[in-house]
Amino acid sequence: MVRVPGATPVVHYPSIGSTNAEALAQARGPAPRWFVADRQTGGRGRRGRPWTSEPGNLYASLLLVDAGPSARLPELCFVSALGLYDAVRAVTGIDPLRIGLKWPNDVLIDGAKLAGILLEGTVLPDGRPVTVIGFGVNCAHHPADTPYPTTDLAAAGYPTAPMEMLGALDLALRARLDEWARGAGFDETREAWIRRAPGLGREVTVRFGDREASGVFEALDFSGAMVLRRADGVRETISAGDVFPSPGVQA
């Protein structure tokens, strides 16, 4: 285990199946801790999708124990997105007009997805909740033929070493967790997310379960759910799904 003064401890692996799975397996150990791999052989994204995990990108999972009340832990998807957004800006100095957030926790550069963030959890025998926040950040390369356009930092003009990104992410995420304050500060987190989300007010299509819904992304409610105003005027509240620009609408 590696520790830089003032930073969160890091457990590093040259290769591992999944940093999220390893963090969950070691949930009874010290926390917070980062689990980082140069390469994953069993990386996965939301809904169990495989996540391409070749060397050159950052694959890192943060283990948190009792980060907040169980009912507030889903809010960490917004905290994690803001932390990564802040880290990318800190490392690259990118124009804020080129970077934004897509609901619920995707970081976009030039309208293309830069990273995958996956939250998973369990409960320890003593009842304390465990949250693992997994980050797959495209530093040097990105997958092709994906449902949503993807990019990487090098392609965007900002080649970045994975461990440099991890250092910035650790600092930024700790600041955002402090702001969130175990859920008491979610109003501030929500407002910060809204200010960085260019998709608000635009036509989108949300795919979830065995159906999809289209309309205007009208608001982010106070729980973090999307409020979608459909063409018939009905407002639908959506708590999970994959968001895409509606046909004919630029990302």
Side-chain angles (χ1 to χ4, degrees), residues 74-83 103-105 186 189 193 220 223-225:
E75 298 168 358
L76 287 171
C77 74
F78 299 97
V79 176
S80 60
L82 285 165
W103 186 85
N105 61 358
F186 184 62
T189 298
W193 190 95
L220 187 72
S223 72

Side-chain angles (χ1 to χ4, degrees), residues 42-55:
R44 61 190 187 280
R46 287 197 298 266
R47 304 177 189 274
R49 300 185 185 103
W51 184 263
T52 303
S53 306
E54 293 304 316

Side-chain angles (χ1 to χ4, degrees), residues 87-113:
V88 171
R89 289 216 56 205
V91 167
T92 66
I94 191 170
D95 185 333
L97 295 178
R98 294 183 62 193
I99 184 171
L101 298 176
K102 179 172 78 72
W103 186 85
N105 61 358
D106 285 335
V107 176
L108 307 180
I109 289 182
D110 299 329
K113 184 173 175 176

Side-chain angles (χ1 to χ4, degrees), residues 8-208:
T8 305
V10 176
V11 183
H12 177 262
Y13 303 89
S15 179
I16 199 170
S18 161
T19 57
N20 262 31
E22 185 65 20
L24 287 168
Q26 297 197 36
R28 298 190 189 192
R33 273 187 298 169
W34 284 103
F35 293 80
V36 181
D38 298 333
R39 177 176 180 268
Q40 293 185 124
T41 58
R44 61 190 187 280
R46 287 197 298 266
R47 304 177 189 274
R49 300 185 185 103
W51 184 263
T52 303
S53 306
E54 293 304 316
N57 292 345
L58 174 64
Y59 312 111
S61 298
L62 180 62
L63 170 66
L64 299 172
V65 175
D66 194 24
S70 296
R72 308 305 297 262
L73 293 178
E75 298 168 358
L76 287 171
C77 74
F78 299 97
V79 176
S80 60
L82 285 165
L84 181 56
Y85 175 101
D86 294 344
V88 171
R89 289 216 56 205
V91 167
T92 66
I94 191 170
D95 185 333
L97 295 178
R98 294 183 62 193
I99 184 171
L101 298 176
K102 179 172 78 72
W103 186 85
N105 61 358
D106 285 335
V107 176
L108 307 180
I109 289 182
D110 299 329
K113 184 173 175 176
L114 177 68
I117 301 177
L118 176 65
L119 275 70
E120 296 184 289
T122 187
V123 179
L124 293 176
D126 62 9
R128 289 180 298 160
V130 172
T131 305
V132 171
I133 308 175
F135 296 86
V137 184
N138 298 334
C139 295
H141 48 80
H142 60 274
D145 301 322
T146 54
Y148 197 94
T150 58
T151 190
D152 60 74
L153 290 173
Y158 304 99
T160 304
M163 294 308 288
E164 180 185 5
M165 177 54 63
L166 178 65
L169 178 58
D170 181 55
L171 183 65
L173 192 53
R174 283 188 285 124
R176 288 296 182 181
L177 284 165
D178 287 345
E179 176 185 65
W180 178 65
R182 295 177 58 85
F186 184 62
D187 286 350
E188 290 78 8
T189 298
R190 175 179 170 274
E191 288 300 322
W193 190 95
I194 287 171
R195 291 194 298 271
R196 292 159 177 80
L200 271 169
R202 295 188 179 184
E203 291 272 353
V204 298
T205 296
V206 187
R207 297 174 187 167
F208 49 97

